[in-house]
Amino acid sequence: SYNLAVVIDDHIQEVTNVTRGNDLFLVTPIQVLLQALLGLRTPCYNHHKLIIDHTGRRLAKRNRSKSLFELREEGASVSDIRNIIGISHYND
């Protein structure tokens, strides 16, 4: 039911690009199949490595992780956020 709900929801919202963690990589073909069977457009899918906090817990809404907006409101800099999610940049 989750896959069907996601496919319908993405269609209603006219989603064209989906970027999500590798933990959802294996359900993507199921969603693409459902889109084809229902005659719906298939978005462009991109998957990335899971983004985790300093304890190794993945950052996710279901875990009540703070959003980028909340982090910025609390005074976190771009560099701070990059460090939290494990992204480094040569200009840091």
Side-chain angles (χ1 to χ4, degrees):
S1 63
Y2 165 79
N3 288 309
L4 181 59
V6 168
V7 164
I8 298 298
D9 190 49
D10 285 352
H11 173 72
I12 290 169
Q13 294 185 57
E14 299 180 4
V15 171
T16 57
N17 293 288
V18 176
T19 301
R20 56 190 180 192
N22 279 337
D23 59 323
L24 295 173
F25 181 77
L26 294 177
V27 300
T28 301
I30 296 166
Q31 293 172 4
V32 171
L33 175 62
L34 286 169
Q35 290 155 347
L37 292 171
L38 296 170
L40 305 177
R41 180 184 29 80
T42 298
C44 176
Y45 288 95
N46 296 289
H47 297 84
H48 57 78
K49 70 177 187 159
L50 288 183
I51 300 173
I52 56 176
D53 65 15
H54 66 284
T55 68
R57 184 174 166 189
R58 74 181 186 133
L59 298 180
K61 291 185 288 187
R62 75 174 95 174
N63 296 338
R64 300 186 191 265
S65 299
K66 292 182 181 178
S67 69
L68 291 177
F69 179 79
E70 290 170 314
L71 291 170
R72 294 292 282 162
E73 284 289 303
E74 293 175 358
S77 69
V78 172
S79 183
D80 293 334
I81 293 169
R82 285 188 183 135
N83 287 332
I84 290 168
I85 61 177
I87 298 174
S88 59
H89 193 271
Y90 67 90
N91 287 332
D92 284 350

